[in-house]
PDB file of all heavy atoms in Angstrom:
ATOM      1  N   LYS U 284      13.992   4.211  -3.748  1.00  0.00           N
ATOM      2  CA  LYS U 284      15.314   4.845  -3.680  1.00  0.00           C
ATOM      3  C   LYS U 284      16.029   4.690  -5.018  1.00  0.00           C
ATOM      4  O   LYS U 284      16.626   5.642  -5.534  1.00  0.00           O
ATOM      5  CB  LYS U 284      16.140   4.233  -2.549  1.00  0.00           C
ATOM      6  CG  LYS U 284      17.479   4.898  -2.365  1.00  0.00           C
ATOM      7  CD  LYS U 284      18.232   4.324  -1.188  1.00  0.00           C
ATOM      8  CE  LYS U 284      19.567   5.049  -1.060  1.00  0.00           C
ATOM      9  NZ  LYS U 284      20.496   4.336  -0.234  1.00  0.00           N
ATOM     10  N   GLU U 285      15.975   3.494  -5.585  1.00  0.00           N
ATOM     11  CA  GLU U 285      16.592   3.239  -6.887  1.00  0.00           C
ATOM     12  C   GLU U 285      15.965   4.116  -7.967  1.00  0.00           C
ATOM     13  O   GLU U 285      16.659   4.667  -8.825  1.00  0.00           O
ATOM     14  CB  GLU U 285      16.436   1.758  -7.253  1.00  0.00           C
ATOM     15  CG  GLU U 285      16.943   1.386  -8.611  1.00  0.00           C
ATOM     16  CD  GLU U 285      18.453   1.420  -8.748  1.00  0.00           C
ATOM     17  OE1 GLU U 285      19.162   1.345  -7.723  1.00  0.00           O
ATOM     18  OE2 GLU U 285      18.930   1.510  -9.897  1.00  0.00           O
ATOM     19  N   LEU U 286      14.655   4.252  -7.945  1.00  0.00           N
ATOM     20  CA  LEU U 286      13.967   5.096  -8.927  1.00  0.00           C
ATOM     21  C   LEU U 286      14.430   6.541  -8.811  1.00  0.00           C
ATOM     22  O   LEU U 286      14.701   7.196  -9.827  1.00  0.00           O
ATOM     23  CB  LEU U 286      12.455   5.008  -8.736  1.00  0.00           C
ATOM     24  CG  LEU U 286      11.615   5.910  -9.648  1.00  0.00           C
ATOM     25  CD1 LEU U 286      11.833   5.560 -11.113  1.00  0.00           C
ATOM     26  CD2 LEU U 286      10.152   5.812  -9.271  1.00  0.00           C
ATOM     27  N   ALA U 287      14.544   7.043  -7.600  1.00  0.00           N
ATOM     28  CA  ALA U 287      15.005   8.426  -7.404  1.00  0.00           C
ATOM     29  C   ALA U 287      16.410   8.607  -7.963  1.00  0.00           C
ATOM     30  O   ALA U 287      16.703   9.613  -8.622  1.00  0.00           O
ATOM     31  CB  ALA U 287      14.963   8.793  -5.920  1.00  0.00           C
ATOM     32  N   GLU U 288      17.286   7.632  -7.721  1.00  0.00           N
ATOM     33  CA  GLU U 288      18.657   7.725  -8.239  1.00  0.00           C
ATOM     34  C   GLU U 288      18.683   7.711  -9.765  1.00  0.00           C
ATOM     35  O   GLU U 288      19.408   8.477 -10.390  1.00  0.00           O
ATOM     36  CB  GLU U 288      19.501   6.580  -7.674  1.00  0.00           C
ATOM     37  CG  GLU U 288      19.773   6.721  -6.187  1.00  0.00           C
ATOM     38  CD  GLU U 288      20.379   5.475  -5.571  1.00  0.00           C
ATOM     39  OE1 GLU U 288      20.630   4.478  -6.297  1.00  0.00           O
ATOM     40  OE2 GLU U 288      20.607   5.494  -4.339  1.00  0.00           O
ATOM     41  N   ARG U 289      17.873   6.865 -10.371  1.00  0.00           N
ATOM     42  CA  ARG U 289      17.811   6.803 -11.838  1.00  0.00           C
ATOM     43  C   ARG U 289      17.251   8.098 -12.431  1.00  0.00           C
ATOM     44  O   ARG U 289      17.720   8.566 -13.466  1.00  0.00           O
ATOM     45  CB  ARG U 289      16.978   5.619 -12.288  1.00  0.00           C
ATOM     46  CG  ARG U 289      17.667   4.298 -12.060  1.00  0.00           C
ATOM     47  CD  ARG U 289      16.857   3.172 -12.611  1.00  0.00           C
ATOM     48  NE  ARG U 289      17.479   1.892 -12.337  1.00  0.00           N
ATOM     49  CZ  ARG U 289      17.160   0.776 -12.976  1.00  0.00           C
ATOM     50  NH1 ARG U 289      16.236   0.784 -13.907  1.00  0.00           N
ATOM     51  NH2 ARG U 289      17.769  -0.352 -12.663  1.00  0.00           N
ATOM     52  N   LEU U 290      16.236   8.645 -11.787  1.00  0.00           N
ATOM     53  CA  LEU U 290      15.662   9.903 -12.272  1.00  0.00           C
ATOM     54  C   LEU U 290      16.679  11.038 -12.169  1.00  0.00           C
ATOM     55  O   LEU U 290      16.760  11.886 -13.059  1.00  0.00           O
ATOM     56  CB  LEU U 290      14.389  10.242 -11.502  1.00  0.00           C
ATOM     57  CG  LEU U 290      13.169   9.389 -11.834  1.00  0.00           C
ATOM     58  CD1 LEU U 290      12.036   9.684 -10.862  1.00  0.00           C
ATOM     59  CD2 LEU U 290      12.721   9.614 -13.276  1.00  0.00           C
ATOM     60  N   GLN U 291      17.454  11.055 -11.080  1.00  0.00           N
ATOM     61  CA  GLN U 291      18.494  12.079 -10.922  1.00  0.00           C
ATOM     62  C   GLN U 291      19.522  11.976 -12.044  1.00  0.00           C
ATOM     63  O   GLN U 291      19.965  12.990 -12.583  1.00  0.00           O
ATOM     64  CB  GLN U 291      19.194  11.925  -9.565  1.00  0.00           C
ATOM     65  CG  GLN U 291      18.360  12.380  -8.400  1.00  0.00           C
ATOM     66  CD  GLN U 291      19.020  12.063  -7.060  1.00  0.00           C
ATOM     67  OE1 GLN U 291      19.885  11.197  -6.969  1.00  0.00           O
ATOM     68  NE2 GLN U 291      18.584  12.756  -6.020  1.00  0.00           N
ATOM     69  N   GLU U 292      19.900  10.746 -12.406  1.00  0.00           N
ATOM     70  CA  GLU U 292      20.877  10.548 -13.477  1.00  0.00           C
ATOM     71  C   GLU U 292      20.301  10.952 -14.840  1.00  0.00           C
ATOM     72  O   GLU U 292      20.983  11.562 -15.652  1.00  0.00           O
ATOM     73  CB  GLU U 292      21.320   9.081 -13.532  1.00  0.00           C
ATOM     74  CG  GLU U 292      22.174   8.661 -12.365  1.00  0.00           C
ATOM     75  CD  GLU U 292      22.464   7.174 -12.365  1.00  0.00           C
ATOM     76  OE1 GLU U 292      22.101   6.469 -13.351  1.00  0.00           O
ATOM     77  OE2 GLU U 292      23.051   6.691 -11.385  1.00  0.00           O
ATOM     78  N   GLN U 293      19.053  10.591 -15.071  1.00  0.00           N
ATOM     79  CA  GLN U 293      18.433  10.843 -16.369  1.00  0.00           C
ATOM     80  C   GLN U 293      18.056  12.308 -16.561  1.00  0.00           C
ATOM     81  O   GLN U 293      18.087  12.823 -17.676  1.00  0.00           O
ATOM     82  CB  GLN U 293      17.204   9.954 -16.538  1.00  0.00           C
ATOM     83  CG  GLN U 293      16.699   9.898 -17.956  1.00  0.00           C
ATOM     84  CD  GLN U 293      15.687   8.785 -18.157  1.00  0.00           C
ATOM     85  OE1 GLN U 293      15.275   8.110 -17.223  1.00  0.00           O
ATOM     86  NE2 GLN U 293      15.275   8.601 -19.399  1.00  0.00           N
ATOM     87  N   PHE U 294      17.701  12.978 -15.495  1.00  0.00           N
ATOM     88  CA  PHE U 294      17.270  14.377 -15.554  1.00  0.00           C
ATOM     89  C   PHE U 294      18.073  15.188 -14.539  1.00  0.00           C
ATOM     90  O   PHE U 294      17.547  15.593 -13.492  1.00  0.00           O
ATOM     91  CB  PHE U 294      15.776  14.494 -15.261  1.00  0.00           C
ATOM     92  CG  PHE U 294      14.916  13.665 -16.168  1.00  0.00           C
ATOM     93  CD1 PHE U 294      14.398  12.449 -15.750  1.00  0.00           C
ATOM     94  CD2 PHE U 294      14.630  14.096 -17.458  1.00  0.00           C
ATOM     95  CE1 PHE U 294      13.608  11.679 -16.582  1.00  0.00           C
ATOM     96  CE2 PHE U 294      13.836  13.333 -18.296  1.00  0.00           C
ATOM     97  CZ  PHE U 294      13.322  12.115 -17.865  1.00  0.00           C
ATOM     98  N   PRO U 295      19.344  15.461 -14.828  1.00  0.00           N
ATOM     99  CA  PRO U 295      20.202  16.135 -13.839  1.00  0.00           C
ATOM    100  C   PRO U 295      19.719  17.533 -13.447  1.00  0.00           C
ATOM    101  O   PRO U 295      20.022  17.998 -12.351  1.00  0.00           O
ATOM    102  CB  PRO U 295      21.568  16.188 -14.518  1.00  0.00           C
ATOM    103  CG  PRO U 295      21.327  15.899 -15.950  1.00  0.00           C
ATOM    104  CD  PRO U 295      20.037  15.166 -16.064  1.00  0.00           C
ATOM    105  N   GLY U 296      18.945  18.205 -14.280  1.00  0.00           N
ATOM    106  CA  GLY U 296      18.457  19.539 -13.940  1.00  0.00           C
ATOM    107  C   GLY U 296      17.183  19.524 -13.109  1.00  0.00           C
ATOM    108  O   GLY U 296      16.732  20.574 -12.641  1.00  0.00           O
ATOM    109  N   LEU U 297      16.606  18.371 -12.924  1.00  0.00           N
ATOM    110  CA  LEU U 297      15.348  18.253 -12.190  1.00  0.00           C
ATOM    111  C   LEU U 297      15.635  17.826 -10.750  1.00  0.00           C
ATOM    112  O   LEU U 297      16.293  16.814 -10.514  1.00  0.00           O
ATOM    113  CB  LEU U 297      14.456  17.196 -12.857  1.00  0.00           C
ATOM    114  CG  LEU U 297      13.104  16.928 -12.230  1.00  0.00           C
ATOM    115  CD1 LEU U 297      12.190  18.137 -12.418  1.00  0.00           C
ATOM    116  CD2 LEU U 297      12.475  15.707 -12.875  1.00  0.00           C
ATOM    117  N   PRO U 298      15.181  18.597  -9.772  1.00  0.00           N
ATOM    118  CA  PRO U 298      15.418  18.181  -8.383  1.00  0.00           C
ATOM    119  C   PRO U 298      14.577  16.941  -8.050  1.00  0.00           C
ATOM    120  O   PRO U 298      13.361  16.946  -8.199  1.00  0.00           O
ATOM    121  CB  PRO U 298      14.984  19.382  -7.544  1.00  0.00           C
ATOM    122  CG  PRO U 298      14.330  20.340  -8.458  1.00  0.00           C
ATOM    123  CD  PRO U 298      14.516  19.877  -9.865  1.00  0.00           C
ATOM    124  N   VAL U 299      15.243  15.883  -7.651  1.00  0.00           N
ATOM    125  CA  VAL U 299      14.580  14.638  -7.262  1.00  0.00           C
ATOM    126  C   VAL U 299      15.072  14.270  -5.874  1.00  0.00           C
ATOM    127  O   VAL U 299      16.272  14.286  -5.614  1.00  0.00           O
ATOM    128  CB  VAL U 299      14.909  13.495  -8.251  1.00  0.00           C
ATOM    129  CG1 VAL U 299      14.257  12.204  -7.802  1.00  0.00           C
ATOM    130  CG2 VAL U 299      14.488  13.854  -9.662  1.00  0.00           C
ATOM    131  N   HIS U 300      14.142  13.927  -4.991  1.00  0.00           N
ATOM    132  CA  HIS U 300      14.501  13.597  -3.615  1.00  0.00           C
ATOM    133  C   HIS U 300      13.848  12.284  -3.210  1.00  0.00           C
ATOM    134  O   HIS U 300      12.675  12.069  -3.479  1.00  0.00           O
ATOM    135  CB  HIS U 300      14.046  14.697  -2.653  1.00  0.00           C
ATOM    136  CG  HIS U 300      14.555  16.048  -3.010  1.00  0.00           C
ATOM    137  ND1 HIS U 300      15.830  16.459  -2.707  1.00  0.00           N
ATOM    138  CD2 HIS U 300      13.972  17.075  -3.663  1.00  0.00           C
ATOM    139  CE1 HIS U 300      16.011  17.692  -3.158  1.00  0.00           C
ATOM    140  NE2 HIS U 300      14.892  18.084  -3.736  1.00  0.00           N
ATOM    141  N   PHE U 301      14.617  11.447  -2.575  1.00  0.00           N
ATOM    142  CA  PHE U 301      14.077  10.246  -1.950  1.00  0.00           C
ATOM    143  C   PHE U 301      13.854  10.583  -0.484  1.00  0.00           C
ATOM    144  O   PHE U 301      14.776  10.998   0.220  1.00  0.00           O
ATOM    145  CB  PHE U 301      15.053   9.071  -2.079  1.00  0.00           C
ATOM    146  CG  PHE U 301      14.668   7.897  -1.227  1.00  0.00           C
ATOM    147  CD1 PHE U 301      13.571   7.129  -1.535  1.00  0.00           C
ATOM    148  CD2 PHE U 301      15.405   7.578  -0.104  1.00  0.00           C
ATOM    149  CE1 PHE U 301      13.209   6.052  -0.749  1.00  0.00           C
ATOM    150  CE2 PHE U 301      15.060   6.503   0.693  1.00  0.00           C
ATOM    151  CZ  PHE U 301      13.962   5.751   0.362  1.00  0.00           C
ATOM    152  N   ILE U 302      12.636  10.417  -0.025  1.00  0.00           N
ATOM    153  CA  ILE U 302      12.306  10.735   1.365  1.00  0.00           C
ATOM    154  C   ILE U 302      12.000   9.431   2.085  1.00  0.00           C
ATOM    155  O   ILE U 302      11.013   8.761   1.784  1.00  0.00           O
ATOM    156  CB  ILE U 302      11.107  11.705   1.446  1.00  0.00           C
ATOM    157  CG1 ILE U 302      11.447  12.986   0.699  1.00  0.00           C
ATOM    158  CG2 ILE U 302      10.748  11.976   2.907  1.00  0.00           C
ATOM    159  CD1 ILE U 302      10.287  13.936   0.531  1.00  0.00           C
ATOM    160  N   ARG U 303      12.861   9.073   3.002  1.00  0.00           N
ATOM    161  CA  ARG U 303      12.697   7.833   3.764  1.00  0.00           C
ATOM    162  C   ARG U 303      11.562   8.004   4.776  1.00  0.00           C
ATOM    163  O   ARG U 303      11.445   9.028   5.443  1.00  0.00           O
ATOM    164  CB  ARG U 303      13.994   7.491   4.475  1.00  0.00           C
ATOM    165  CG  ARG U 303      13.894   6.257   5.354  1.00  0.00           C
ATOM    166  CD  ARG U 303      15.235   5.781   5.826  1.00  0.00           C
ATOM    167  NE  ARG U 303      15.796   4.959   4.743  1.00  0.00           N
ATOM    168  CZ  ARG U 303      16.981   5.158   4.197  1.00  0.00           C
ATOM    169  NH1 ARG U 303      17.750   6.120   4.612  1.00  0.00           N
ATOM    170  NH2 ARG U 303      17.411   4.369   3.238  1.00  0.00           N
ATOM    171  N   GLU U 304      10.737   6.984   4.864  1.00  0.00           N
ATOM    172  CA  GLU U 304       9.630   6.962   5.818  1.00  0.00           C
ATOM    173  C   GLU U 304      10.097   6.287   7.095  1.00  0.00           C
ATOM    174  O   GLU U 304      10.865   5.334   7.069  1.00  0.00           O
ATOM    175  CB  GLU U 304       8.464   6.178   5.207  1.00  0.00           C
ATOM    176  CG  GLU U 304       7.207   6.185   6.016  1.00  0.00           C
ATOM    177  CD  GLU U 304       6.520   7.531   6.038  1.00  0.00           C
ATOM    178  OE1 GLU U 304       6.592   8.259   5.049  1.00  0.00           O
ATOM    179  OE2 GLU U 304       5.906   7.850   7.066  1.00  0.00           O
ATOM    180  N   LYS U 305       9.645   6.773   8.235  1.00  0.00           N
ATOM    181  CA  LYS U 305       9.966   6.106   9.495  1.00  0.00           C
ATOM    182  C   LYS U 305       9.269   4.741   9.502  1.00  0.00           C
ATOM    183  O   LYS U 305       8.125   4.624   9.070  1.00  0.00           O
ATOM    184  CB  LYS U 305       9.476   6.930  10.683  1.00  0.00           C
ATOM    185  CG  LYS U 305      10.247   8.213  10.885  1.00  0.00           C
ATOM    186  CD  LYS U 305       9.741   8.938  12.112  1.00  0.00           C
ATOM    187  CE  LYS U 305      10.512  10.260  12.284  1.00  0.00           C
ATOM    188  NZ  LYS U 305      10.022  10.998  13.446  1.00  0.00           N
ATOM    189  N   PRO U 306       9.947   3.706  10.003  1.00  0.00           N
ATOM    190  CA  PRO U 306       9.326   2.383  10.036  1.00  0.00           C
ATOM    191  C   PRO U 306       8.045   2.394  10.861  1.00  0.00           C
ATOM    192  O   PRO U 306       7.949   3.058  11.894  1.00  0.00           O
ATOM    193  CB  PRO U 306      10.380   1.495  10.697  1.00  0.00           C
ATOM    194  CG  PRO U 306      11.673   2.239  10.522  1.00  0.00           C
ATOM    195  CD  PRO U 306      11.321   3.695  10.497  1.00  0.00           C
TER     196      PRO U 306
END
Side-chain angles (χ1 to χ4, degrees):
K284 184 177 180 197
E285 176 70 21
L286 177 61
E288 291 169 2
R289 288 184 183 197
L290 287 172
Q291 286 173 339
E292 290 174 7
Q293 194 167 6
F294 304 101
L297 180 69
V299 178
H300 305 280
F301 169 71
I302 301 172
R303 177 169 277 126
E304 186 70 33
K305 291 182 181 179

